[in-house]
Amino acid sequence: QVQVVESGGGLVQAGGSLRLSCTASGFAFDDFAMGWFRQAPGKEREGVSCINYSGRNKYYADSVKGRFTVSRDNAENTVYLQMNSLKPEDTAMYYCAASNIWRVTAPLPSEYNHWGQGTQVTVSS
């Protein structure tokens, strides 16, 4: 049974940091690219960052480049999103997902198969 579980969200002041974690099971984690997405109320789901199966290749949306860092630990079946210098516009539900397609471009939700339930990030001004 495939499971993808995000954690680490919360309420933080602007300028603060959070570290999201996503732990997966039920599939060959180290064969899959992993993506982080976010969705704010009334907006489409946005691809924030992704990392290839080995962790050597990464992508960041322009809106988070220089502030967010994606990493993975294949031994722990876990992918992380370190978020620094958070802004109110980063407020959203954050989702983690797995894909057997790797591109060095914005991750497309339609190419990701296994999704978590999301973790809420709220940044106050």
Side-chain angles (χ1 to χ4, degrees), residues 51-117:
I51 185 168
N52 79 328
Y53 71 97
S54 70
R56 290 182 182 177
N57 296 300
K58 305 173 185 179
Y59 165 87
Y60 299 97
D62 287 344
S63 57
V64 306
K65 200 172 294 182
R67 300 187 297 122
F68 289 11
T69 302
V70 64
S71 61
R72 66 189 295 161
D73 183 342
N74 286 346
E76 298 293 330
N77 282 14
T78 300
V79 61
Y80 303 97
L81 187 68
Q82 177 68 43
M83 306 187 297
N84 298 329
S85 303
L86 282 161
K87 304 175 181 180
E89 51 262 45
D90 294 318
T91 295
M93 184 71 79
Y94 282 71
Y95 299 90
C96 168
S99 173
N100 53 13
I101 298 172
W102 167 250
R103 307 184 198 280
V104 190
T105 57
L108 298 175
S110 60
E111 293 183 346
Y112 281 72
N113 323 89
H114 308 311
W115 289 83
Q117 293 300 306

Side-chain angles (χ1 to χ4, degrees), residues 9-16 18 20 37-46 48 63-64 67-68 83-95 119-125:
L11 173 63
V12 65
Q13 287 189 331
L18 285 172
L20 305 184
F37 299 80
R38 66 186 181 188
Q39 189 166 19
K43 294 190 176 181
E44 290 188 357
R45 192 164 293 191
E46 170 192 18
V48 172
S63 57
V64 306
R67 300 187 297 122
F68 289 11
M83 306 187 297
N84 298 329
S85 303
L86 282 161
K87 304 175 181 180
E89 51 262 45
D90 294 318
T91 295
M93 184 71 79
Y94 282 71
Y95 299 90
T119 186
Q120 177 68 39
V121 171
T122 303
V123 184
S124 63
S125 57

